[in-house]
Amino acid sequence: MDENVDGPIGDAFRRRGVDVLTIVEDGRSGLRPDCLVLNRAPELGRVLFTQDDDLLVEAARRQKTGETFLGVIFGPKGKHGASVYIDDLELIGTCEKPQDHLGKVTYLPL
């Protein structure tokens, strides 16, 4: 999860026993530009969940140019409660592998 994700989402995952790593826990807080955030996710074998519109711009650029990235899951802030995102992310994490998201942007809610 990048640093723009609301804290209750990560906390709820941990209570459910889901393996979550935030960019802050990875020691990469404040990592800019967003291309570096997208580059870090595949190094860790993880899909990136964000609530940052700017990161979508970088993902779209990569899709347009054919530059690879492991995947982005996006849930806009303020549109839905955290529980909607938590349920959808848990479903994705249970049923899919990071490679299933190669070069994709998935928008929540599903």
Side-chain angles (χ1 to χ4, degrees):
M1 296 183 172
D2 80 0
E3 60 193 342
N4 294 296
V5 174
D6 291 332
I9 295 173
D11 296 342
F13 270 127
R14 288 190 174 87
R15 285 192 300 276
R16 293 181 182 197
V18 176
D19 179 25
V20 173
L21 179 67
T22 67
I23 197 164
V24 174
E25 294 164 345
D26 189 36
R28 309 280 177 132
S29 181
L31 193 60
R32 294 283 181 238
D34 287 329
C35 64
L36 298 177
V37 176
L38 278 177
N39 290 346
R40 180 67 175 150
E43 291 173 10
L44 301 169
R46 295 175 181 264
V47 175
L48 179 65
F49 175 63
T50 187
Q51 293 187 294
D52 180 8
D53 294 326
D54 292 339
L55 205 136
L56 289 180
V57 173
E58 175 62 18
R61 184 195 68 74
R62 289 183 183 210
Q63 286 176 321
K64 187 175 183 177
T65 62
E67 192 176 339
T68 61
F69 62 101
L70 193 49
V72 171
I73 301 173
F74 177 78
K77 280 189 177 194
K79 282 199 152 194
H80 306 280
S83 64
V84 171
Y85 297 142
I86 293 162
D87 290 342
D88 284 354
L89 288 165
E90 185 173 35
L91 179 65
I92 290 168
T94 302
C95 298
E96 299 176 347
K97 297 176 182 169
Q99 297 80 4
D100 295 333
H101 293 268
L102 187 63
K104 296 180 183 177
V105 175
T106 303
Y107 294 88
L108 300 183
L110 294 175

